[in-house]
Amino acid sequence: MTQKLYIKTYGCQMNEYDSDKMADVLRVCSGMEPTEKPEDADVILFNTCSIREKAEEKVFSDLGRVRPLKLAKAGLLIGVGGCVASLEGETILRRAPYVDVVFGPQTLHRLPQMLQACRTTGRPQIDISFPEIEKFDHLPAPAFNLQNPIVGAQGQRFVSIMEGCSKYCTYCVVPYTRGEEVSRPVRDVMADILALIAMGVKEVTLLGQNVNAYCGVDEEGEQVDFAYLLQAIAALQGIERLRYTTSHPRDMTQRLIDVYASTPKLASHLHLPVQSGSDRILAAMKRGHTVLEYKSIIRRVRAARPDICITSDFIVGFPGETEQDFEATMKLIDDIGFDNSFSYLYSPRPGTPAAEMRCDTPPEVKSARLIRLQERIAQQEDAVALAMLGSVQRVLVEGTAKKDALELAGRTSNNRIVNFPGAADSATSQAMIGSFAEVVITQVVRHTLRGELLTPNTALKA
Ligand code: SAH
Ligand code: SF4
Ligand code: F3S
């Protein structure tokens, strides 16, 4: 009987991507099929995140919950991968001795062998090494995704172009969990994208912790930058839209900014985390840029692409953040006008330099700051939505709307979801999924956009 695989994913899109690859490698090498139900599984994998304490603790409570399954089903294997595995290694077995396999983000391609070794020896297997970019050479080509697209909506897929981070911001575990920045060669990235185009994919999102630090080699062995890679991908017939995430202000070169002017296929959305609007805090975080430099980047990006939407990450309550520092962040938010953000309270991570920094700000003050920041950004989000009223947007139809199966949902260039009635009959509507369509924005209900289809026929041809 076919063995069943259940994967639970925590954390960022890099983890989502990696989970997809785990499913691929186990399908191709071990003949396993995915299941949504842990109780049906023969292998349960947790792909974990350690960015904040809460994320890490959740993994251990979820592990506790699958423990009874292990007792009830002989032969069930439990694996822990991702960033918690990478940081904790063997310690995981001490806290959860029923875990069979511990693997890191760079060793997931070895899962079939590790699971097999565990079955034959009956002993837990641990491999959290960083064998550079080796994993990509051992993973099935993206075409296998077709049968089971865990990541990405119809017509769009993620492609990892670099791994790791070499920035060492003082609060962050990522360089320790994922290793230093390593870029995939241009040829490998292009091969993945060509395979996706052959599957009918029209939009790709390039993934990495700092995609704009990309520094890969081209066919001649010359080093090329991210701007080069973007243009090379945009030149491929079949790719209609390109996105990337996440980028770092320090690597936002003028060459990259110029791509916004020269390359319409590059989406009008930039996620550029700033974390804080205070130079003092940015320095303590070791972000490597000032508030003025960040503003200068945004000004130049907007000059190149006036309708671009900017989103960011913020950390509130970093050690030593004063009222004045926080007001500086609020001022930056007012000055820039963001459309959405990921904002969280600072969480001390063991082993990072910031975890040693003193902080006297009471928790309730930090929480109040976070609420204020999130409310202000929600207002800005509404303003962006209202400004889109009446505009015509080219959307990639991703599927049906969450609340109404007869409605379609599409993503705009600036990364907004629009719900709109599809064609008159449901078969024609369904056929539009995975294609581009033109939609006029007719209504804004809080952040949610509603629209009307403008060009059903061209949409079908697109
Ligand atoms: N490489 C990206 C972000 C990757 S981590 C960048 O530097 O911009 C995603 C986000 O998690 C960060 O932008 C930061 O806002 C948040 N984060 C990281 N460590 C954190 C911590 N210790 N506490 C709270 N938030 C944290
Ligand atoms: Fe973490 Fe900083 Fe690297 Fe982003 S740039 S992943 S915040 S160390
Ligand atoms: Fe979390 Fe690791 Fe991503 S810590 S945010 S899963 S890189």
Side-chain angles (χ1 to χ4, degrees):
M1 224 176 65
T2 314
Q3 293 242 310
K4 293 255 191 290
L5 168 69
Y6 171 83
I7 306 181
K8 171 143 188 168
T9 311
Y10 308 77
C12 63
Q13 282 158 327
M14 261 63 71
N15 261 17
E16 298 273 344
Y17 180 86
D18 283 351
S19 291
D20 201 25
K21 295 294 167 195
M22 291 173 202
D24 273 357
V25 81
L26 288 172
R27 179 173 45 240
V28 175
C29 302
S30 313
M32 301 194 75
E33 287 302 327
T35 173
E36 302 280 310
K37 296 186 194 143
E39 56 278 14
D40 291 347
D42 302 284
V43 172
I44 294 179
L45 299 179
F46 289 94
N47 192 11
T48 63
C49 172
S50 50
I51 203 85
R52 285 170 286 270
E53 191 183 354
K54 255 198 196 138
E56 186 160 340
E57 282 313 310
K58 177 114 189 19
V59 173
F60 286 101
S61 68
D62 286 355
L63 268 173
R65 229 170 288 148
V66 295
R67 187 180 190 178
L69 295 179
K70 174 105 185 161
L71 298 174
K73 185 171 188 174
L76 170 66
L77 295 182
I78 296 178
V80 179
C83 291
V84 177
S86 186
L87 274 189
E88 309 270 337
E90 276 183 28
T91 324
I92 292 190
L93 296 180
R94 247 173 276 149
R95 277 185 76 174
Y98 44 92
V99 167
D100 302 287
V101 173
V102 178
F103 58 101
Q106 312 303 348
T107 48
L108 60 93
H109 57 289
R110 296 178 183 163
L111 261 174
Q113 293 77 9
M114 292 175 78
L115 291 170
Q116 188 56 37
C118 189
R119 286 204 198 285
T120 45
T121 64
R123 278 203 303 273
Q125 304 290 313
I126 304 174
D127 185 351
I128 51 166
S129 56
F130 292 149
E132 289 257 313
I133 214 85
E134 173 195 297
K135 84 171 176 195
F136 290 103
D137 298 332
H138 292 83
L139 287 170
F144 289 98
N145 281 348
L146 195 56
Q147 298 152 348
N148 174 40
I150 294 180
V151 176
Q154 290 286 343
Q156 96 88 35
R157 285 291 186 283
F158 291 88
V159 174
S160 170
I161 62 161
M162 56 90 66
E163 294 270 316
C165 177
S166 310
K167 301 285 190 286
Y168 295 93
C169 301
T170 53
Y171 51 82
C172 183
V173 290
V174 172
Y176 312 102
T177 65
R178 299 244 164 192
E180 296 261 323
E181 286 162 5
V182 184
S183 297
R184 296 179 71 197
V186 174
R187 179 208 293 245
D188 294 8
V189 174
M190 293 303 236
D192 274 10
I193 294 179
L194 288 172
L196 293 173
I197 293 173
M199 287 162 54
V201 167
K202 297 188 172 68
E203 176 179 307
V204 289
T205 303
L206 306 180
L207 270 191
Q209 272 309 341
N210 291 307
V211 273
N212 54 347
Y214 178 83
C215 180
V217 288
D218 68 4
E219 300 281 347
E220 279 82 49
E222 299 284 329
Q223 286 201 331
V224 295
D225 65 359
F226 185 56
Y228 173 96
L229 185 71
L230 276 179
Q231 284 167 308
I233 297 169
L236 294 175
Q237 227 189 357
I239 288 299
E240 296 188 37
R241 193 178 272 167
L242 252 179
R243 301 181 184 279
Y244 62 85
T245 195
T246 297
S247 51
H248 195 291
R250 248 158 76 184
D251 298 311
M252 209 68 209
T253 61
Q254 190 56 45
R255 267 177 58 77
L256 172 52
I257 294 172
D258 291 342
V259 181
Y260 281 99
S262 68
T263 311
K265 283 184 184 177
L266 184 57
S268 290
H269 170 224
L270 171 62
H271 183 68
L272 192 65
V274 66
Q275 316 297 356
S276 166
S278 152
D279 281 339
R280 227 175 53 82
I281 297 296
L282 287 176
M285 290 175 164
K286 244 183 90 202
R287 289 292 287 179
H289 65 85
T290 62
V291 174
L292 202 62
E293 280 160 343
Y294 185 84
K295 283 185 172 174
S296 153
I297 293 168
I298 302 299
R299 189 174 39 76
R300 284 177 286 135
V301 170
R302 282 191 165 139
R305 183 67 72 83
D307 69 347
I308 199 160
C309 274
I310 311 290
T311 57
S312 177
D313 296 347
F314 291 93
I315 295 178
V316 173
F318 189 77
E321 181 189 80
T322 62
E323 207 52 42
Q324 218 179 352
D325 293 318
F326 179 68
E327 289 304 334
T329 302
M330 293 302 287
K331 166 130 186 10
L332 177 70
I333 291 170
D334 284 345
D335 289 350
I336 300 281
F338 289 99
D339 180 27
N340 212 336
S341 78
F342 294 103
S343 42
Y344 292 94
L345 289 180
Y346 165 72
S347 167
R349 306 311 291 129
T352 60
E356 310 296 319
M357 296 179 192
R358 224 184 105 128
C359 188
D360 301 323
T361 316
E364 58 280 11
V365 171
K366 294 182 190 175
S367 302
R369 285 179 190 164
L370 182 65
I371 290 169
R372 236 185 97 195
L373 181 148
Q374 288 177 335
E375 279 174 355
R376 181 71 54 87
I377 289 181
Q379 286 165 2
Q380 297 189 332
E381 213 177 323
D382 285 345
V384 171
L386 283 173
M388 289 171 76
L389 253 184
S391 68
V392 174
Q393 300 286 331
R394 193 158 177 267
V395 299
L396 176 64
V397 184
E398 292 192 345
T400 48
K402 253 189 216 149
K403 289 189 188 138
D404 183 351
L406 291 176
E407 286 228 315
L408 294 176
R411 191 175 296 272
T412 63
S413 176
N414 66 0
N415 209 31
R416 288 300 192 108
I417 296 291
V418 186
N419 294 329
F420 58 98
D425 63 296
S426 80
T428 320
S429 284
Q430 287 295 318
M432 287 172 61
I433 295 175
S435 301
F436 279 90
E438 293 208 321
V439 169
V440 59
I441 307 299
T442 52
Q443 217 186 345
V444 176
V445 188
R446 250 185 89 71
H447 316 306
T448 316
L449 301 173
R450 283 194 53 78
E452 296 289 337
L453 195 58
L454 266 189
T455 51
N457 295 328
T458 46
L460 279 176
K461 273 187 259 144

